[in-house]
Structure formats: structure tokens, C-alpha cells
Amino acid sequence: MFIGLLKRRTLAYGILASGAVVNAATTVTVSGTASHPIPSTLYGQMFEASTFADGENIMTSYGDGGVYAELLQNRAFQQVTANTTAALYAWSPLNGADIAVIADPSPVSSALPNSLQVTIPEGASGQVGFGNEGYWGIKVDSEWTYDASFYYKFPAASSFDGSVTVGLQSMEGEVYASATIPVSGSQTAWKQVAVALKPTSSPTTTTNNFTITFDGATAAGQTIDFAMFSLFPPTFKDRANGLRIDVATTLYDMKPSFFRLPGGNNLGQTFSTRWQWNATVGALVDRPGRMGDWGYVNTDGLGLMEYMYLCEDMEMEPIMAVWAGYSLDGESLPEDELWPYIQQAIDQINFVIGDPAQSEAAALRASLGRPEPFPLTYVEIGNEDFFASESYIYRWRDFAGNLTATFPQLRFIATSYPFNPIIEPTPLQYDNHVYQTPSWFAENAFYYDSFERNGTYYFEGEYAVISTNASNLYGTIAEGHLMYPTVQGSTSEAAFMTGLERNSDIVFAASYAPLLVNVASYQWTPNLVAYDAANVYPSTSYYVQQLFSLNRGDEYLPSTLPTYNGTLYWSVTRSNTAGEVLIKIANTDTPAQDLTFILPYTDVSPTGTAQVLAGAPTASNSPTTPNAVVPVTSSILTGQTFNYTAPGYSVSVLTIKAS
């Protein structure tokens, strides 16, 4: 993420709309001649981990514990230091068991060197074992069947012949689901076991525990090793190792066209901890995970193949980034050391689109059950390389040159400031990022109007109103930084988005950022969608994104321009397939404002619909007020000429049948 002003090349040329610049509360004349088609990729989503600090541990709440449906936190003891208390985060002993994370002399895999060693003490009685609290809770639903699994072995053969009970229970010990699995002390090699858990009730609380216990009297004195636990609820579209249904459904309902992955700055904090595609595919037991860019562990259960299936199941296309020799610690690889990383980028792309007969990476994809390629058009080279713009000159040259030669059908996106520095080969796509105040976004609704139409296209890859205080973009909530998106911020984003739509002849894609946050704890605010263990809370900005995405039209109709630096903004598109005119209006001030629209059609329906998101400027959707501000749909009177009043602090989408 980058906070600051977008930097651009200011030029004199722009799109001319019919009509003169006028006061916002006046007549808007719409042209009958479209100026350009609306790109099919215009509105989408970006993936970036949102993190939080909790004592010694910093953990992710975006992929793991978020859209990725796995319910167990620290499930495989990845990237932790054995024999430390911190290595046990999310796990706790039950009824006197002794548990510790060990560096196993015979690990379950080379990727997962640690295991959980459990000793049942002498003289134990009752159910003795351990539990996992999940990601700030576990939702237990009697209508679901949960898939649980783990590996176990005895470090030394014993005469034990008994069973282990796998369950879901409250923190007070009330059992909601359980299953018994036979266990033998002769099992000294790792064995995976799997069981289905069907709860008998649905508790209202999510402070629940996944448990594994032994009968203490029978197992007293026994030591058992465990590794690679997993607990999955039903998933979005029943995809194995898939997505949390409610979070994924919320994202899907926005009808995004693209998904930017694998996660912005999560590409790499250092060379050694960078995201590497080949460590994220294949069996979960073979994925080592990595320390993410803000100091938390990524399990990489949501890996490159899962990203591709996410895009497929949500009916959107990937915009995929490759690591390009720069890490967030400020280091850039020298040019003579780039080739292995260029090759890794080539392999990453081949894994997605390559021919299994021609590429080992593509053959690996086929071996994982996907012989046919995934769709891919856009590839980003690096992320926010304006932080290392001088080294990007040679890094872009070498990465873009080699990748373009290998994949001439793909479009490569540069991540430095547009035209600053000058890089070769000349990028045909740039990725711009901005986090700013409501006033900045409203004032920059005309940002792209002056960009030269020279064959260069732009991706607004990250943008959001994050503060009402321009001097506190990184600061505290009390100083104007927002916890959740507000109506004031969301309407200003909508004003900016009318400019993106007006300039969508050169702006081919845009995505709010960040996308998700767990409300239990956080590092970055605000985010588009919040959630906890049981619920999802779409923000006011989510509804703005949804309104624009669902009502984008397929061609842009020029119209009277809004007033520069005014408070009322609009854009007009047409859906030829539906025979509809779609008018989006953002009112960024308190007073309601009147508009008169003159349409260029003779056959116009006398009625239309208005979808309106409106509220007090500081209103927001949160866990305590989840539906404080939601769109309301009503019927309006329309015609070739019609009037409309935009409520104060509102976003309206008017739909009119017209031909």
C-alpha cells in the first residue's frame, strides 16, 4: 500500500463532453453518440493481507482466517520457533495434558518440520488432550458438516490400543459434535486420519474449541505427535480447500470482473521471504508457508491454484503479479542477478497458462487435476516500484523484455509512477495507487481527463478514503483516520469513480483497497468488507462499489460536465443489451441538489428505478450497526426530460429504459 497523492503526467488533451461546464444544480444534456466502450474489466477487487498484532504474535486476517475457509489457526506450526510459548498460539491443553511444539526428528514433511507433542500425564482421568480456538472463534452450525483431519504418530512404539475423540465444543466443555477414531501405539510412521463432524446444535456464541482428547485413564503416560491439522466447513461452490461461504458470497455479489493477486505488497518483505508460486501449490503438507510482509505467517493454503479457482468460481479474471527483484526492506537485486527470478516468473505464468507438453510448470498444473490453462491477460511486474524507481529502470527492462518475448499475448503492467522515470520498453499499462481524504477524491474526479490518449492505459489498483485529516493518513482514529468507511468518504469515492468511468477509454480497471478485515483486531483501516467468525459486514464503500459494478453499462455517453471542484458529480452509460440508460450521481455535500436530465432518445419509459445509498456523513456500517446505511430502490418518474433530486451525501444509480 502507498499513501499519498497520485503522480501523473499532466497533459492538455482530454475527452470533450457535450455541453458547457455548468453549475451542478442545472440541466444535464446527454449525448446520443457514445464516446467509447466501457472496459469489461473496469471494476474488480484486489487482495492484500490485513494484519494485526497480538502480544508476541502478528497474524493475518485476510486469507488465513478470512476468505480462506480453514477454521484452525496455526494448524501446521509453520514458521514458528519450536519449544517456545509463542509456537503454541491458538492451541491450549485440556484437563492437564502436556503439549509443546517440537522440531520433530522425523517430521511429517520437509516443508513442515514442527509437530505438536502431547503427553497424557500419569494418573489422568476424564477426557485429556488439547484444543484450538480458531481465528477469534469458531462458528458451529448444526446445518453444516465439518471435515476434520490431522496426522499422528507415536515417537516410540507402545502397547496403547485405544481411541481419540475429535470434537467441537464450547470453552466450558459443552460438546456440539464428536467422532471417535481408533489409535494404535504401534503407529510410529505418520498416518493421516479424517472424520466428519455434524453438530447437534448451533450455539449463538463463536467462542468454541476444536478438540482432540483421549480417555485419560486409558492413555495415561502416552506421548503422541500430531501434525497438519485441518477443519473445514462447507465451502463456496463446494470447492475443496476452498473459500468461506459468507465472505466469498459477499465478494461475488459485487460482480467483480477481476481479482488482483497474490496480494499487493505481500509479494515480499525480503528476498528470502518473497512469495514464491511453487511453494504454494500441491499437497498442503508440502507447503512451508512464509513470513508475510508485516511479520505474520502465511500458511499458503490459499496458493496459486486456489487463487485461480477463486477467480473461476467468482467468474472474474486474474490480474497476477510477479516478484520483480525489489523487496519492501528497500533492497533491489543487481541486474546481473535477475535471471533466476525472471525464470521463476516465466514458470509462474506457465503454471497458469502453459502447455503441459511444453512446460514443466504447466505439467505440474495438469498433475494437480487441471490440464487446461486458466485465463490470463494482465501481469503486473512488481508492486509499488515507485519506492525503487531507479532500479526499476533495469528491472522493468529485463523482466518486461523477457516476459513479453516469451508471452507476447499478455499485457504487462508497470508499477512505477507513470512516465517517471522513463522506462523501456514503454509500458502500455501503469498501476496507480492512492489513499486520501474525501475532499481529495472529490477534487480529483477530473484527474484522468487531462491524460494524453497515446496508447497508454491505467489501472487504479488501490484507492480509498482513509481519513478526513490530510495530515493524519497514517494516524489514529481520533485524529480523523477512519475505522470503517463513512458515507462522506464513500460518496467522495463515488465522485472519483464517475471520473474513472468517464475516462474508461484509458482507465481499464479499478479496485478499492484493502478488501477485507477481521474486526477482532486489525492493523489497517478502513477496509471494504469487515467480518468476524460468524458474520460479514459490508461497508458503505462496498455498496458504492457494488452499485457501480452492477450498473456499469457497455458504452459511455458524454454529457454536460459536472462543475470542477463542485459537490455534485455524475456519469452516464448505456447498456445496449438491456436497452437502458444508467446514470450514476454522487452528491458529496449536505444539501439535496436538483438536476434535470435531457436524454437523446424518443422512446423513453415514463418510469425508472433509483438505487440510492444515503446517510449522515459520519454514518458507517459496523458490527454494532451492520445495516446502518444500505441502498434503497424505488421507482421514479422519467421521460425524455426528467427531474431528479439527489439527497445530501448520497450515491444514486438511475436506470431508464430508452431507445
Side-chain angles (χ1 to χ4, degrees), residues 52-223:
F52 81 98
D54 178 21
E56 297 178 345
N57 308 308
I58 301 178
M59 292 157 275
T60 175
S61 61
Y62 190 132
D64 298 318
V67 71
Y68 182 48
E70 173 64 71
L71 293 173
L72 301 184
Q73 187 173 185
N74 192 21
R75 67 180 180 183
F77 315 104
Q78 296 161 284
Q79 306 296 322
V80 300
T81 302
N83 297 305
T84 64
T85 301
L88 280 169
Y89 70 83
W91 297 94
S92 58
L94 298 176
N95 201 17
D98 181 27
I99 65 174
V101 174
I102 65 167
D104 203 300
S106 179
V108 68
S109 71
S110 59
L112 303 178
N114 299 322
S115 64
L116 182 70
Q117 189 161 88
V118 181
T119 299
I120 310 300
E122 297 288 354
S125 62
Q127 291 296 304
V128 182
F130 56 94
N132 186 290
E133 65 187 25
Y135 288 93
W136 315 286
I138 296 175
K139 180 180 179 179
V140 175
D141 191 323
S142 61
E143 295 185 1
W144 290 354
T145 297
Y146 296 74
D147 293 324
S149 65
F150 58 86
Y151 288 80
Y152 85 94
K153 68 174 173 64
F154 284 73
S158 82
S159 60
F160 179 75
D161 187 14
S163 61
V164 63
T165 299
V166 183
L168 291 169
Q169 59 181 261
S170 71
M171 291 298 183
E172 294 71 35
E174 181 181 355
V175 176
Y176 303 121
S178 67
T180 301
I181 300 170
V183 171
S184 171
S186 63
Q187 186 69 47
T188 57
W190 287 106
K191 179 180 180 180
Q192 186 179 29
V193 296
V195 65
L197 297 174
K198 179 68 174 175
T200 56
S201 62
S202 301
T204 56
T205 179
T206 60
T207 53
N208 302 311
N209 221 2
F210 168 78
T211 60
I212 292 181
T213 59
F214 294 84
D215 175 70
T218 303
Q222 298 294 322
T223 296

Side-chain angles (χ1 to χ4, degrees), residues 202-515:
S202 301
T204 56
T205 179
T206 60
T207 53
N208 302 311
N209 221 2
F210 168 78
T211 60
I212 292 181
T213 59
F214 294 84
D215 175 70
T218 303
Q222 298 294 322
T223 296
I224 311 100
D225 296 338
F226 292 87
M228 191 57 237
F229 298 88
S230 183
L231 178 68
F232 265 86
T235 60
F236 184 70
K237 296 193 176 179
D238 298 319
R239 178 73 66 182
N241 196 44
L243 309 178
R244 176 174 153 174
I245 290 175
D246 56 352
V247 175
T249 299
T250 301
L251 301 184
Y252 177 75
D253 287 346
M254 210 184 93
K255 293 297 183 285
S257 291
F258 68 85
F259 192 75
R260 177 173 170 249
L261 61 95
N265 280 330
N266 204 33
L267 275 177
Q269 178 70 32
T270 66
F271 300 153
S272 61
T273 62
R274 72 190 187 282
W275 185 86
Q276 299 185 66
W277 73 271
N278 49 305
T280 75
V281 300
L284 295 179
V285 76
D286 294 323
R287 304 186 194 185
R290 55 180 284 267
M291 291 303 297
D293 289 6
W294 295 275
Y296 58 85
V297 176
N298 287 348
T299 71
D300 285 334
L302 186 62
L304 183 53
M305 183 75 98
E306 286 78 22
Y307 283 129
M308 292 301 114
Y309 282 132
L310 179 156
C311 291
E312 186 170 281
D313 291 344
M314 291 196 184
E315 301 164 23
M316 54 184 169
E317 66 176 86
I319 294 180
M320 183 178 73
V322 297
W323 191 78
Y326 167 74
S327 295
L328 287 179
D329 60 4
E331 295 296 321
S332 295
L333 283 171
E335 186 169 17
D336 60 2
E337 295 180 17
L338 289 180
W339 177 249
Y341 306 96
I342 295 170
Q343 183 60 58
Q344 191 170 38
I346 290 171
D347 292 341
Q348 178 182 332
I349 296 170
N350 267 324
F351 180 84
V352 176
I353 66 172
D355 181 351
Q358 302 294 324
S359 162
E360 288 186 10
L364 174 58
R365 183 194 71 234
S367 74
L368 298 174
R370 179 72 183 214
E372 65 274 21
F374 291 99
L376 182 67
T377 301
Y378 293 100
V379 173
E380 279 199 292
I381 296 179
N383 178 71
E384 295 188 343
D385 277 275
F386 43 72
F387 284 123
S389 58
E390 290 307 310
S391 72
Y392 199 58
I393 294 173
Y394 67 78
R395 290 186 294 106
W396 166 265
R397 178 177 65 233
D398 291 1
F399 271 86
N402 283 284
L403 294 179
T404 300
T406 308
F407 306 103
Q409 76 276 28
L410 298 182
R411 301 175 188 176
F412 295 95
I413 304 171
T415 64
S416 61
Y417 292 126
F419 308 106
N420 180 21
I422 300 300
I423 52 179
E424 298 292 341
T426 301
L428 298 182
Q429 290 84 210
Y430 278 101
D431 182 1
N432 274 330
H433 297 176
V434 62
Y435 297 91
Q436 263 291 344
T437 63
S439 60
W440 188 96
F441 276 95
E443 290 166 3
N444 282 274
F446 290 87
Y447 180 82
Y448 284 101
D449 288 61
S450 61
F451 272 49
E452 184 180 12
R453 272 57 184 172
N454 62 356
T456 305
Y457 298 88
Y458 301 91
F459 173 27
E460 199 68 37
E462 299 182 21
Y463 67 96
V465 169
I466 63 171
S467 178
T468 58
N469 182 352
S471 63
N472 183 41
L473 295 177
Y474 268 127
T476 66
I477 304 294
E479 296 170 335
H481 195 92
L482 302 177
M483 175 63 199
Y484 299 102
T486 63
V487 169
Q488 180 189 28
S490 301
T491 56
S492 297
E493 290 160 0
F496 184 70
M497 292 169 72
T498 64
L500 299 181
E501 203 161 79
R502 182 172 61 254
N503 289 282
S504 59
D505 61 322
I506 59 171
V507 178
F508 69 92
S511 49
Y512 180 104
L515 187 61

Side-chain angles (χ1 to χ4, degrees), residues 610-635:
Q611 301 173 74
V612 182
L613 183 80
T618 59
S620 61
N621 297 336
S622 70
T624 55
T625 57
N627 299 305
V629 186
V630 297
V632 175
T633 301
S634 62
S635 179

